[in-house]
PDB file of all heavy atoms in Angstrom:
ATOM      1  N   GLU L   1      30.588-127.532   1.815  1.00  0.00           N
ATOM      2  CA  GLU L   1      29.780-126.316   1.839  1.00  0.00           C
ATOM      3  C   GLU L   1      30.411-125.271   2.762  1.00  0.00           C
ATOM      4  O   GLU L   1      30.458-124.072   2.434  1.00  0.00           O
ATOM      5  CB  GLU L   1      28.357-126.653   2.297  1.00  0.00           C
ATOM      6  CG  GLU L   1      27.541-127.433   1.285  1.00  0.00           C
ATOM      7  CD  GLU L   1      27.121-126.600   0.091  1.00  0.00           C
ATOM      8  OE1 GLU L   1      27.261-125.355   0.138  1.00  0.00           O
ATOM      9  OE2 GLU L   1      26.653-127.184  -0.909  1.00  0.00           O
ATOM     10  N   VAL L   2      30.901-125.692   3.910  1.00  0.00           N
ATOM     11  CA  VAL L   2      31.553-124.754   4.839  1.00  0.00           C
ATOM     12  C   VAL L   2      32.837-124.217   4.211  1.00  0.00           C
ATOM     13  O   VAL L   2      33.146-123.015   4.314  1.00  0.00           O
ATOM     14  CB  VAL L   2      31.833-125.432   6.190  1.00  0.00           C
ATOM     15  CG1 VAL L   2      32.628-124.501   7.104  1.00  0.00           C
ATOM     16  CG2 VAL L   2      30.531-125.832   6.859  1.00  0.00           C
ATOM     17  N   MET L   3      33.596-125.105   3.551  1.00  0.00           N
ATOM     18  CA  MET L   3      34.838-124.676   2.910  1.00  0.00           C
ATOM     19  C   MET L   3      34.561-123.675   1.796  1.00  0.00           C
ATOM     20  O   MET L   3      35.277-122.667   1.645  1.00  0.00           O
ATOM     21  CB  MET L   3      35.566-125.899   2.341  1.00  0.00           C
ATOM     22  CG  MET L   3      36.990-125.627   1.892  1.00  0.00           C
ATOM     23  SD  MET L   3      38.106-125.399   3.289  1.00  0.00           S
ATOM     24  CE  MET L   3      38.843-123.827   2.864  1.00  0.00           C
ATOM     25  N   ALA L   4      33.509-123.930   1.020  1.00  0.00           N
ATOM     26  CA  ALA L   4      33.148-123.022  -0.063  1.00  0.00           C
ATOM     27  C   ALA L   4      32.785-121.649   0.479  1.00  0.00           C
ATOM     28  O   ALA L   4      33.191-120.611  -0.080  1.00  0.00           O
ATOM     29  CB  ALA L   4      31.994-123.606  -0.875  1.00  0.00           C
ATOM     30  N   ASP L   5      32.021-121.623   1.561  1.00  0.00           N
ATOM     31  CA  ASP L   5      31.628-120.348   2.165  1.00  0.00           C
ATOM     32  C   ASP L   5      32.850-119.574   2.649  1.00  0.00           C
ATOM     33  O   ASP L   5      32.949-118.354   2.457  1.00  0.00           O
ATOM     34  CB  ASP L   5      30.674-120.620   3.324  1.00  0.00           C
ATOM     35  CG  ASP L   5      30.184-119.343   3.983  1.00  0.00           C
ATOM     36  OD1 ASP L   5      29.526-118.530   3.295  1.00  0.00           O
ATOM     37  OD2 ASP L   5      30.464-119.143   5.181  1.00  0.00           O
ATOM     38  N   LEU L   6      33.817-120.279   3.257  1.00  0.00           N
ATOM     39  CA  LEU L   6      35.037-119.626   3.716  1.00  0.00           C
ATOM     40  C   LEU L   6      35.824-119.049   2.548  1.00  0.00           C
ATOM     41  O   LEU L   6      36.307-117.903   2.611  1.00  0.00           O
ATOM     42  CB  LEU L   6      35.903-120.614   4.499  1.00  0.00           C
ATOM     43  CG  LEU L   6      37.264-120.099   4.955  1.00  0.00           C
ATOM     44  CD1 LEU L   6      37.117-118.921   5.907  1.00  0.00           C
ATOM     45  CD2 LEU L   6      38.079-121.222   5.605  1.00  0.00           C
ATOM     46  N   CYS L   7      35.967-119.817   1.479  1.00  0.00           N
ATOM     47  CA  CYS L   7      36.719-119.335   0.317  1.00  0.00           C
ATOM     48  C   CYS L   7      36.094-118.068  -0.255  1.00  0.00           C
ATOM     49  O   CYS L   7      36.801-117.122  -0.644  1.00  0.00           O
ATOM     50  CB  CYS L   7      36.789-120.417  -0.753  1.00  0.00           C
ATOM     51  SG  CYS L   7      37.868-121.807  -0.347  1.00  0.00           S
ATOM     52  N   ARG L   8      34.767-118.036  -0.296  1.00  0.00           N
ATOM     53  CA  ARG L   8      34.093-116.838  -0.816  1.00  0.00           C
ATOM     54  C   ARG L   8      34.344-115.642   0.103  1.00  0.00           C
ATOM     55  O   ARG L   8      34.584-114.523  -0.367  1.00  0.00           O
ATOM     56  CB  ARG L   8      32.601-117.108  -0.958  1.00  0.00           C
ATOM     57  CG  ARG L   8      32.262-118.186  -2.006  1.00  0.00           C
ATOM     58  CD  ARG L   8      30.760-118.299  -2.200  1.00  0.00           C
ATOM     59  NE  ARG L   8      30.424-119.410  -3.095  1.00  0.00           N
ATOM     60  CZ  ARG L   8      29.886-120.562  -2.700  1.00  0.00           C
ATOM     61  NH1 ARG L   8      29.621-120.752  -1.411  1.00  0.00           N
ATOM     62  NH2 ARG L   8      29.619-121.509  -3.564  1.00  0.00           N
ATOM     63  N   LYS L   9      34.278-115.868   1.429  1.00  0.00           N
ATOM     64  CA  LYS L   9      34.537-114.778   2.372  1.00  0.00           C
ATOM     65  C   LYS L   9      35.953-114.248   2.239  1.00  0.00           C
ATOM     66  O   LYS L   9      36.207-113.053   2.463  1.00  0.00           O
ATOM     67  CB  LYS L   9      34.300-115.259   3.804  1.00  0.00           C
ATOM     68  CG  LYS L   9      32.834-115.493   4.145  1.00  0.00           C
ATOM     69  CD  LYS L   9      32.686-116.034   5.560  1.00  0.00           C
ATOM     70  CE  LYS L   9      31.225-116.237   5.921  1.00  0.00           C
ATOM     71  NZ  LYS L   9      31.078-116.859   7.275  1.00  0.00           N
ATOM     72  N   LEU L  10      36.880-115.126   1.873  1.00  0.00           N
ATOM     73  CA  LEU L  10      38.282-114.713   1.724  1.00  0.00           C
ATOM     74  C   LEU L  10      38.557-114.076   0.371  1.00  0.00           C
ATOM     75  O   LEU L  10      39.680-113.637   0.103  1.00  0.00           O
ATOM     76  CB  LEU L  10      39.199-115.922   1.916  1.00  0.00           C
ATOM     77  CG  LEU L  10      39.232-116.524   3.319  1.00  0.00           C
ATOM     78  CD1 LEU L  10      40.080-117.796   3.343  1.00  0.00           C
ATOM     79  CD2 LEU L  10      39.762-115.522   4.330  1.00  0.00           C
ATOM     80  N   GLY L  11      37.550-114.041  -0.492  1.00  0.00           N
ATOM     81  CA  GLY L  11      37.713-113.425  -1.798  1.00  0.00           C
ATOM     82  C   GLY L  11      38.412-114.306  -2.818  1.00  0.00           C
ATOM     83  O   GLY L  11      38.917-113.802  -3.835  1.00  0.00           O
ATOM     84  N   MET L  12      38.409-115.622  -2.592  1.00  0.00           N
ATOM     85  CA  MET L  12      39.051-116.527  -3.538  1.00  0.00           C
ATOM     86  C   MET L  12      38.133-116.754  -4.736  1.00  0.00           C
ATOM     87  O   MET L  12      36.899-116.670  -4.632  1.00  0.00           O
ATOM     88  CB  MET L  12      39.397-117.854  -2.870  1.00  0.00           C
ATOM     89  CG  MET L  12      40.323-117.711  -1.669  1.00  0.00           C
ATOM     90  SD  MET L  12      40.876-119.292  -0.957  1.00  0.00           S
ATOM     91  CE  MET L  12      42.224-119.662  -2.093  1.00  0.00           C
ATOM     92  N   ASN L  13      38.719-117.005  -5.861  1.00  0.00           N
ATOM     93  CA  ASN L  13      37.997-117.221  -7.118  1.00  0.00           C
ATOM     94  C   ASN L  13      37.536-118.679  -7.167  1.00  0.00           C
ATOM     95  O   ASN L  13      38.179-119.527  -7.776  1.00  0.00           O
ATOM     96  CB  ASN L  13      38.913-116.876  -8.294  1.00  0.00           C
ATOM     97  CG  ASN L  13      38.240-117.096  -9.640  1.00  0.00           C
ATOM     98  OD1 ASN L  13      37.023-117.254  -9.722  1.00  0.00           O
ATOM     99  ND2 ASN L  13      39.041-117.097 -10.698  1.00  0.00           N
ATOM    100  N   LEU L  14      36.419-118.959  -6.502  1.00  0.00           N
ATOM    101  CA  LEU L  14      35.984-120.333  -6.272  1.00  0.00           C
ATOM    102  C   LEU L  14      35.050-120.833  -7.363  1.00  0.00           C
ATOM    103  O   LEU L  14      34.123-120.138  -7.777  1.00  0.00           O
ATOM    104  CB  LEU L  14      35.270-120.441  -4.927  1.00  0.00           C
ATOM    105  CG  LEU L  14      34.763-121.847  -4.577  1.00  0.00           C
ATOM    106  CD1 LEU L  14      35.924-122.770  -4.247  1.00  0.00           C
ATOM    107  CD2 LEU L  14      33.763-121.791  -3.428  1.00  0.00           C
ATOM    108  N   ASP L  15      35.289-122.074  -7.769  1.00  0.00           N
ATOM    109  CA  ASP L  15      34.387-122.818  -8.646  1.00  0.00           C
ATOM    110  C   ASP L  15      34.001-124.093  -7.895  1.00  0.00           C
ATOM    111  O   ASP L  15      34.781-125.040  -7.812  1.00  0.00           O
ATOM    112  CB  ASP L  15      35.097-123.155  -9.967  1.00  0.00           C
ATOM    113  CG  ASP L  15      34.206-123.922 -10.942  1.00  0.00           C
ATOM    114  OD1 ASP L  15      33.021-124.146 -10.614  1.00  0.00           O
ATOM    115  OD2 ASP L  15      34.705-124.299 -12.021  1.00  0.00           O
ATOM    116  N   LEU L  16      32.803-124.104  -7.302  1.00  0.00           N
ATOM    117  CA  LEU L  16      32.318-125.268  -6.555  1.00  0.00           C
ATOM    118  C   LEU L  16      31.654-126.237  -7.523  1.00  0.00           C
ATOM    119  O   LEU L  16      30.669-125.894  -8.183  1.00  0.00           O
ATOM    120  CB  LEU L  16      31.327-124.837  -5.479  1.00  0.00           C
ATOM    121  CG  LEU L  16      30.654-125.957  -4.678  1.00  0.00           C
ATOM    122  CD1 LEU L  16      31.685-126.765  -3.888  1.00  0.00           C
ATOM    123  CD2 LEU L  16      29.582-125.383  -3.739  1.00  0.00           C
ATOM    124  N   VAL L  17      32.191-127.457  -7.589  1.00  0.00           N
ATOM    125  CA  VAL L  17      31.642-128.499  -8.465  1.00  0.00           C
ATOM    126  C   VAL L  17      30.950-129.530  -7.580  1.00  0.00           C
ATOM    127  O   VAL L  17      31.606-130.304  -6.880  1.00  0.00           O
ATOM    128  CB  VAL L  17      32.748-129.163  -9.307  1.00  0.00           C
ATOM    129  CG1 VAL L  17      32.156-130.269 -10.186  1.00  0.00           C
ATOM    130  CG2 VAL L  17      33.448-128.113 -10.165  1.00  0.00           C
ATOM    131  N   SER L  18      29.637-129.532  -7.576  1.00  0.00           N
ATOM    132  CA  SER L  18      28.854-130.453  -6.760  1.00  0.00           C
ATOM    133  C   SER L  18      28.418-131.634  -7.618  1.00  0.00           C
ATOM    134  O   SER L  18      27.709-131.452  -8.618  1.00  0.00           O
ATOM    135  CB  SER L  18      27.628-129.736  -6.189  1.00  0.00           C
ATOM    136  OG  SER L  18      28.020-128.669  -5.348  1.00  0.00           O
ATOM    137  N   THR L  19      28.827-132.826  -7.214  1.00  0.00           N
ATOM    138  CA  THR L  19      28.529-134.018  -7.996  1.00  0.00           C
ATOM    139  C   THR L  19      28.492-135.215  -7.057  1.00  0.00           C
ATOM    140  O   THR L  19      28.616-135.066  -5.842  1.00  0.00           O
ATOM    141  CB  THR L  19      29.573-134.198  -9.118  1.00  0.00           C
ATOM    142  OG1 THR L  19      29.209-135.304  -9.941  1.00  0.00           O
ATOM    143  CG2 THR L  19      30.968-134.432  -8.553  1.00  0.00           C
ATOM    144  N   ASP L  20      28.291-136.408  -7.607  1.00  0.00           N
ATOM    145  CA  ASP L  20      28.248-137.599  -6.764  1.00  0.00           C
ATOM    146  C   ASP L  20      29.663-138.031  -6.390  1.00  0.00           C
ATOM    147  O   ASP L  20      30.645-137.705  -7.071  1.00  0.00           O
ATOM    148  CB  ASP L  20      27.504-138.735  -7.466  1.00  0.00           C
ATOM    149  CG  ASP L  20      28.217-139.187  -8.724  1.00  0.00           C
ATOM    150  OD1 ASP L  20      28.022-138.538  -9.780  1.00  0.00           O
ATOM    151  OD2 ASP L  20      28.974-140.175  -8.665  1.00  0.00           O
ATOM    152  N   TRP L  21      29.764-138.813  -5.304  1.00  0.00           N
ATOM    153  CA  TRP L  21      31.057-139.208  -4.762  1.00  0.00           C
ATOM    154  C   TRP L  21      31.838-140.086  -5.744  1.00  0.00           C
ATOM    155  O   TRP L  21      33.066-140.003  -5.823  1.00  0.00           O
ATOM    156  CB  TRP L  21      30.857-139.903  -3.432  1.00  0.00           C
ATOM    157  CG  TRP L  21      32.110-140.347  -2.732  1.00  0.00           C
ATOM    158  CD1 TRP L  21      32.399-141.587  -2.283  1.00  0.00           C
ATOM    159  CD2 TRP L  21      33.248-139.537  -2.395  1.00  0.00           C
ATOM    160  NE1 TRP L  21      33.641-141.617  -1.676  1.00  0.00           N
ATOM    161  CE2 TRP L  21      34.183-140.368  -1.731  1.00  0.00           C
ATOM    162  CE3 TRP L  21      33.559-138.191  -2.585  1.00  0.00           C
ATOM    163  CZ2 TRP L  21      35.408-139.897  -1.268  1.00  0.00           C
ATOM    164  CZ3 TRP L  21      34.796-137.718  -2.112  1.00  0.00           C
ATOM    165  CH2 TRP L  21      35.696-138.575  -1.471  1.00  0.00           C
ATOM    166  N   GLY L  22      31.141-140.901  -6.508  1.00  0.00           N
ATOM    167  CA  GLY L  22      31.831-141.729  -7.496  1.00  0.00           C
ATOM    168  C   GLY L  22      32.534-140.884  -8.547  1.00  0.00           C
ATOM    169  O   GLY L  22      33.671-141.180  -8.940  1.00  0.00           O
ATOM    170  N   THR L  23      31.883-139.826  -8.985  1.00  0.00           N
ATOM    171  CA  THR L  23      32.500-138.930  -9.977  1.00  0.00           C
ATOM    172  C   THR L  23      33.683-138.193  -9.379  1.00  0.00           C
ATOM    173  O   THR L  23      34.713-138.005 -10.041  1.00  0.00           O
ATOM    174  CB  THR L  23      31.456-137.936 -10.505  1.00  0.00           C
ATOM    175  OG1 THR L  23      30.380-138.658 -11.125  1.00  0.00           O
ATOM    176  CG2 THR L  23      32.065-136.983 -11.520  1.00  0.00           C
ATOM    177  N   VAL L  24      33.559-137.781  -8.104  1.00  0.00           N
ATOM    178  CA  VAL L  24      34.700-137.140  -7.434  1.00  0.00           C
ATOM    179  C   VAL L  24      35.894-138.087  -7.414  1.00  0.00           C
ATOM    180  O   VAL L  24      37.029-137.692  -7.725  1.00  0.00           O
ATOM    181  CB  VAL L  24      34.323-136.704  -6.005  1.00  0.00           C
ATOM    182  CG1 VAL L  24      35.562-136.221  -5.250  1.00  0.00           C
ATOM    183  CG2 VAL L  24      33.273-135.611  -6.029  1.00  0.00           C
ATOM    184  N   ASN L  25      35.652-139.353  -7.057  1.00  0.00           N
ATOM    185  CA  ASN L  25      36.747-140.323  -6.990  1.00  0.00           C
ATOM    186  C   ASN L  25      37.442-140.510  -8.334  1.00  0.00           C
ATOM    187  O   ASN L  25      38.650-140.740  -8.393  1.00  0.00           O
ATOM    188  CB  ASN L  25      36.215-141.668  -6.493  1.00  0.00           C
ATOM    189  CG  ASN L  25      36.200-141.757  -4.978  1.00  0.00           C
ATOM    190  OD1 ASN L  25      37.233-141.914  -4.348  1.00  0.00           O
ATOM    191  ND2 ASN L  25      35.021-141.633  -4.396  1.00  0.00           N
ATOM    192  N   GLN L  26      36.703-140.404  -9.405  1.00  0.00           N
ATOM    193  CA  GLN L  26      37.311-140.518 -10.728  1.00  0.00           C
ATOM    194  C   GLN L  26      38.087-139.246 -11.084  1.00  0.00           C
ATOM    195  O   GLN L  26      39.201-139.313 -11.602  1.00  0.00           O
ATOM    196  CB  GLN L  26      36.227-140.779 -11.769  1.00  0.00           C
ATOM    197  CG  GLN L  26      35.541-142.137 -11.618  1.00  0.00           C
ATOM    198  CD  GLN L  26      34.357-142.286 -12.553  1.00  0.00           C
ATOM    199  OE1 GLN L  26      34.078-141.418 -13.375  1.00  0.00           O
ATOM    200  NE2 GLN L  26      33.639-143.388 -12.412  1.00  0.00           N
ATOM    201  N   ARG L  27      37.497-138.097 -10.782  1.00  0.00           N
ATOM    202  CA  ARG L  27      38.120-136.843 -11.206  1.00  0.00           C
ATOM    203  C   ARG L  27      39.401-136.540 -10.444  1.00  0.00           C
ATOM    204  O   ARG L  27      40.332-135.926 -11.007  1.00  0.00           O
ATOM    205  CB  ARG L  27      37.126-135.686 -11.073  1.00  0.00           C
ATOM    206  CG  ARG L  27      37.677-134.371 -11.617  1.00  0.00           C
ATOM    207  CD  ARG L  27      36.605-133.350 -11.865  1.00  0.00           C
ATOM    208  NE  ARG L  27      37.191-132.067 -12.252  1.00  0.00           N
ATOM    209  CZ  ARG L  27      36.481-130.981 -12.554  1.00  0.00           C
ATOM    210  NH1 ARG L  27      35.149-131.031 -12.526  1.00  0.00           N
ATOM    211  NH2 ARG L  27      37.094-129.850 -12.868  1.00  0.00           N
ATOM    212  N   ILE L  28      39.487-136.930  -9.167  1.00  0.00           N
ATOM    213  CA  ILE L  28      40.693-136.583  -8.416  1.00  0.00           C
ATOM    214  C   ILE L  28      41.928-137.326  -8.923  1.00  0.00           C
ATOM    215  O   ILE L  28      43.058-136.986  -8.552  1.00  0.00           O
ATOM    216  CB  ILE L  28      40.513-136.849  -6.905  1.00  0.00           C
ATOM    217  CG1 ILE L  28      40.220-138.329  -6.630  1.00  0.00           C
ATOM    218  CG2 ILE L  28      39.459-135.936  -6.322  1.00  0.00           C
ATOM    219  CD1 ILE L  28      40.129-138.679  -5.156  1.00  0.00           C
ATOM    220  N   LEU L  29      41.733-138.319  -9.776  1.00  0.00           N
ATOM    221  CA  LEU L  29      42.880-138.995 -10.390  1.00  0.00           C
ATOM    222  C   LEU L  29      43.455-138.183 -11.549  1.00  0.00           C
ATOM    223  O   LEU L  29      44.540-138.500 -12.052  1.00  0.00           O
ATOM    224  CB  LEU L  29      42.457-140.382 -10.891  1.00  0.00           C
ATOM    225  CG  LEU L  29      41.924-141.341  -9.817  1.00  0.00           C
ATOM    226  CD1 LEU L  29      41.482-142.651 -10.458  1.00  0.00           C
ATOM    227  CD2 LEU L  29      42.958-141.592  -8.735  1.00  0.00           C
ATOM    228  N   ASN L  30      42.744-137.157 -11.988  1.00  0.00           N
ATOM    229  CA  ASN L  30      43.170-136.312 -13.096  1.00  0.00           C
ATOM    230  C   ASN L  30      44.191-135.304 -12.599  1.00  0.00           C
ATOM    231  O   ASN L  30      43.873-134.407 -11.822  1.00  0.00           O
ATOM    232  CB  ASN L  30      41.951-135.598 -13.695  1.00  0.00           C
ATOM    233  CG  ASN L  30      42.288-134.804 -14.947  1.00  0.00           C
ATOM    234  OD1 ASN L  30      43.449-134.503 -15.221  1.00  0.00           O
ATOM    235  ND2 ASN L  30      41.260-134.452 -15.709  1.00  0.00           N
TER     236      ASN L  30
END
């Protein structure tokens, strides 16, 4: 959440994907 707020303040084109930790662990292998 803090990282997302910083990215928005910096004007980055952010897409925050909020999901469960198990899904994150699967997706980061992609």
Side-chain angles (χ1 to χ4, degrees):
E1 289 288 348
V2 175
M3 191 73 233
D5 182 62
L6 176 62
C7 288
R8 295 186 186 107
K9 289 177 179 176
L10 293 175
M12 301 186 82
N13 179 14
L14 180 71
D15 181 3
L16 176 63
V17 179
S18 298
T19 185
D20 64 277
W21 181 234
T23 300
V24 172
N25 273 285
Q26 293 173 4
R27 185 163 174 179
I28 60 176
L29 300 177
N30 186 343

